[in-house]
Amino acid sequence: MKKIECYIQPYDLDTVAEALAVEGVVGMSVAEVKGFGVQRGFVRGENVKPGEFRFHPKMKVEMVVLEKDVERIIAAIQASLKSKQIGEGKIFVLPVADAVRTRTGERGRDAIM
Ligand SMILES: Nc1ncnc2c1ncn2[C@@H]1O[C@H](COP(=O)(O)OP(=O)(O)OP(=O)(O)O)[C@@H](O)[C@H]1O
Ligand SMILES: [Mg+2]
């Protein structure tokens, strides 16, 4: 199992969530966060002093999926984001040690399917 964690523009949330639902993702959590990437929240061309940064509102979308589905889901997220502007988004893939469905005690892939 892997966790796909992606940071996107808030206005892209519905498009991304719909694309993920089409891919058959069975669970997802979203949170409003603030963040910055390599431009440290500034647009290109601005004179950024060392150590300066600006937070911008982002949505964090996370889902635990089977390893075999990771590349397909990444491709679906990328395809649903079309701005190709800086700050568009970033995806991280993390290992997941285990999962538990509390109601039944199912573990691992049984708990997420
Ligand atoms: N290394 C990181 N660790 C944690 N969160 C990050 C990291 N990089 C980016 N993020 C989150 O992802 C959001 C989107 O990042 P962003 O798309 O700006 O990445 P980037 O690498 O700067 O690419 P680009 O050059 O296209 O802007 C950030 O606002 C932040 O919330
Ligand atoms: Mg950036």
Side-chain angles (χ1 to χ4, degrees):
M1 290 178 293
K2 298 279 188 188
K3 179 151 127 180
I4 297 177
E5 211 174 80
C6 75
Y7 297 85
I8 57 171
Q9 299 281 13
Y11 54 73
D12 282 325
L13 178 63
D14 289 349
T15 321
V16 170
E18 278 160 29
L20 290 169
V22 168
E23 291 303 317
V25 164
V26 291
M28 183 190 305
S29 297
V30 303
E32 292 178 13
V33 298
K34 293 191 293 183
F36 62 81
V38 295
Q39 297 80 12
R40 283 189 265 129
F42 291 87
V43 297
R44 263 182 209 134
E46 279 181 285
N47 208 356
V48 186
K49 297 186 192 80
E52 260 193 322
F53 61 88
R54 258 184 216 160
F55 281 126
H56 290 281
K58 299 284 166 171
M59 294 298 302
K60 177 180 178 178
V61 180
E62 52 187 19
M63 70 223 88
V64 174
V65 303
L66 298 179
E67 199 153 347
K68 69 171 179 60
D69 296 326
V70 167
E71 289 306 321
R72 190 166 50 82
I73 290 168
I74 290 173
I77 294 168
Q78 265 196 294
S80 68
L81 299 172
K82 296 199 183 336
S83 82
K84 300 300 164 244
Q85 305 289 312
I86 60 167
E88 181 187 79
K90 199 128 199 190
I91 303 172
F92 298 98
V93 180
L94 296 75
V96 171
D98 205 356
V100 183
R101 177 174 283 123
T102 59
R103 176 173 60 82
T104 58
E106 290 161 286
R107 303 292 291 253
R109 66 171 286 154
D110 292 338
I112 63 168
M113 297 315 283

